[in-house]
């Protein structure tokens, strides 16, 4: 008998849609199946005002070419030293944003405008706490003395925990959790939540390094050990409402991914659902798939799940999955999850 699941149209609570030709090449892959897309603000220059967020959202919607009336990008401001409590209040009250994103300066792509410490932004964080604006945290220390595989845990312990303790009214999403430290911290604090990516759920560092170097699996925070992968998968598979899907789909041209100094980021939006479904299938947990991709994140961000229903069947899709796409500028981008995409078909009920 064919394995079949039916679920509310999912949301992607963390995605990089870029701009210009890259936006045009990738946005349909998010719009086809996802409803909400929480769009990251790390453009150059970053999105730092309500007006910029509104204009970027319009560019995103204008770039969609598939029939997707359901698609609803929701925006975030980039937390910089110049972001004032007044601008946060304006953006929130206008409905221009659903969150504010903190990047540690230097940790990842276009993070230079970020900060070194969370508490340097205490006045803005206090405003967010009083308004109810969620804080999204890229939790990664930039201390060069620390081993790269220990940097998420260090940032969580040194920076995130003190903020959670000092501001119990501030709700925080630990983004793209890559370690068991992140899982434990989210469980420890009532106001903390965690997004998890398809690649951190299904890959570990041996996949990057053991059988030839695979730059396509290089991202920030770096994919960690098998032990951490299992802790992430256990949290997602458990149905715990604190954890939900954020793909962190982050396209880069192949020329940047396979360069001498490679860019971090994995383009997984096209096949994210297939990768996650295959994991839940392998663990006999498909009854909890809907919570992870459609229910938990919506509840965290205070929206009802979509009333659209999707169906996934574990059967070869009618059209074989492609493994690269090309932008109008001639850049090639590699897709993550091709093997899983060849196992599942998706349709609208
Ligand atoms: O791997 C990553 N790529 N991690 C991030 O935090 C940013 C992203 C990007 O924008 O390329
Ligand atoms: Zn990201």
């Amino acid at each position: 008998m064919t394995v079949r699941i039916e679920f509310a149209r999912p949301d992607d609570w963390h995605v990089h849609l870029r701009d210009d030709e890259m936006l045009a090449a990738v946005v349909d892959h998010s719009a086809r199946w996802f409803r909400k897309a929480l769009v990251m603000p790390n453009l150059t220059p970053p999105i730092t005002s309500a007006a910029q967020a509104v204009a970027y959202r319009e560019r995103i919607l204008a770039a969609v070419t598939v029939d997707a009336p359901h698609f609803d990008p929701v925006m975030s401001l980039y937390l910089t030293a110049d972001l004032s409590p007044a601008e946060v209040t304006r953006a929130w009250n206008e409905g221009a944003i659903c969150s504010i994103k903190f990047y540690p300066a230097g940790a990842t792509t276009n993070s230079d405008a970020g900060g070194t410490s969370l508490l340097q932004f205490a006045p803005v964080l206090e405003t967010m706490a009083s308004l109810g604006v969620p804080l999204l945290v890229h939790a990664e220390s930039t201390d060069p003395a620390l081993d790269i595989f220990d940097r998420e845990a260090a940032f969580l312990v040194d920076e995130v925990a003190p903020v959670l303790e000092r501001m119990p009214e501030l709700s925080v999403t630990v983004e793209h959790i890559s370690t068991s430290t992140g899982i434990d911290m989210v469980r420890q604090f009532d106001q903390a939540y965690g997004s998890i990516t398809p690649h951190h759920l299904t890959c570990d560092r041996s996949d990057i390094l053991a059988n030839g170097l695979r730059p396509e699996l290089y991202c920030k925070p770096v994919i960690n050990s098998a032990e951490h992968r299992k802790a992430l998968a256990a949290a997602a598979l458990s149905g715990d409402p604190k954890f939900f899907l954020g793909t962190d789909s982050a396209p880069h041209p192949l020329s940047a991914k396979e360069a001498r100094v490679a860019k971090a980021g994995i383009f997984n939006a096209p096949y994210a659902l297939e990768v996650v479904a295959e994991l839940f299938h392998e663990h006999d947990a498909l009854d909890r798939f809907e919570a992870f991709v459609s229910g938990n994140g919506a509840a965290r961000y205070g929206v009802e799940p979509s009333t659209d229903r999707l169906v996934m069947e574990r059967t070869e899709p009618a059209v074989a999955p492609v493994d690269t796409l090309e932008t109008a500028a001639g850049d090639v981008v590699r897709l993550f999850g091709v093997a899983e995409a060849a196992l599942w078909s998706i349709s609208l009920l």
Side-chain angles (χ1 to χ4, degrees):
M1 218 177 62
T2 319
V3 174
R4 181 183 185 278
I5 36 175
E6 197 189 303
F7 56 103
R9 186 185 286 284
D11 301 307
D12 182 352
W13 294 107
H14 181 133
V15 61
H16 300 266
L17 292 177
R18 312 301 194 206
D19 221 338
D20 306 314
E21 287 95 343
M22 188 61 88
L23 168 63
V26 303
V27 70
D28 283 351
H29 292 280
S30 290
R32 187 168 291 117
W33 300 125
F34 288 109
R35 176 192 53 162
K36 307 271 182 190
L38 205 180
V39 185
M40 291 299 113
N42 65 332
L43 304 182
T44 17
I47 302 295
T48 53
S49 70
Q52 286 174 330
V54 168
Y56 183 31
R57 184 172 186 277
E58 281 167 9
R59 293 200 297 283
I60 292 166
L61 288 173
V64 176
T65 69
V66 290
D67 182 31
H70 53 266
F71 185 57
D72 183 15
V74 290
M75 313 308 289
S76 195
L77 292 187
Y78 195 125
L79 185 50
T80 72
D82 294 333
L83 185 63
S84 65
E87 187 62 23
V88 171
T89 306
R90 173 171 32 247
W92 181 253
N93 288 342
E94 281 175 9
I97 57 162
C98 78
S99 56
I100 294 193
K101 173 76 187 237
F102 169 84
Y103 285 101
T108 187
T109 310
N110 297 342
S111 61
D112 295 349
T116 41
S117 136
L118 264 175
L119 280 170
Q120 84 187 74
F121 300 107
V124 167
L125 299 183
E126 302 280 7
T127 301
M128 291 168 62
S130 67
L131 293 169
V133 184
L135 173 69
L136 316 179
V137 178
H138 181 117
E140 195 176 9
S141 167
T142 52
D143 180 352
L146 275 181
D147 188 272
I148 186 69
F149 293 106
D150 298 332
R151 290 188 190 185
E152 178 176 279
F155 192 87
L156 287 168
V157 170
D158 297 344
E159 292 287 330
V160 177
V163 169
L164 291 168
E165 272 156 17
R166 182 163 141 183
M167 301 183 193
E169 303 300 321
L170 180 69
S171 86
V172 173
T173 302
V174 181
E175 303 263 81
H176 40 56
I177 298 180
S178 67
T179 60
S180 60
T181 310
I183 300 294
D184 294 344
M185 192 165 291
V186 165
R187 288 201 162 124
Q188 185 189 337
F189 290 92
D190 283 350
Q191 86 257 43
Y193 301 85
S195 66
I196 314 183
T197 75
H199 45 280
H200 289 102
L201 281 174
T202 58
C203 301
D204 57 59
R205 59 199 184 194
S206 296
D207 296 306
I208 312 177
L209 299 168
N211 299 303
L213 175 64
R214 290 176 63 193
E216 68 194 87
L217 297 181
Y218 176 57
C219 66
K220 295 305 266 329
V222 284
I223 291 172
N224 215 304
S225 67
E227 191 186 327
H228 289 299
R229 169 177 55 75
K230 287 176 194 160
L232 302 172
L237 292 162
S238 74
D240 184 334
K242 297 200 110 186
F243 301 100
F244 48 83
L245 177 66
T247 64
D248 200 10
S249 185
H252 290 282
L254 218 53
S255 55
K257 287 292 299 173
E258 299 184 358
R260 190 168 64 83
V261 177
K263 285 257 170 50
I266 297 177
F267 179 48
N268 63 18
Y271 307 140
L273 295 171
E274 293 92 327
V275 172
V276 176
E278 186 61 13
L279 175 78
F280 277 65
H281 171 65
E282 281 167 1
H283 290 267
D284 208 10
L286 283 173
D287 56 325
R288 276 161 269 164
F289 176 77
E290 181 173 27
F292 184 68
V293 303
S294 318
N296 297 348
R300 185 272 181 269
Y301 289 105
V303 294
E304 289 297 319
S306 171
T307 51
D308 292 352
R309 304 289 293 168
L310 300 189
V311 175
M312 287 181 74
E313 287 184 318
R314 199 167 182 281
T315 170
E316 212 175 296
V319 182
V322 299
D323 59 5
T324 53
L325 60 72
E326 189 171 343
T327 74
D331 286 321
V332 174
V333 183
R334 190 182 300 289
L335 281 62
F336 174 85
V338 179
E340 291 88 346
L343 298 173
W344 289 88
S345 306
I346 312 180
S347 56
L348 180 65
L349 187 68

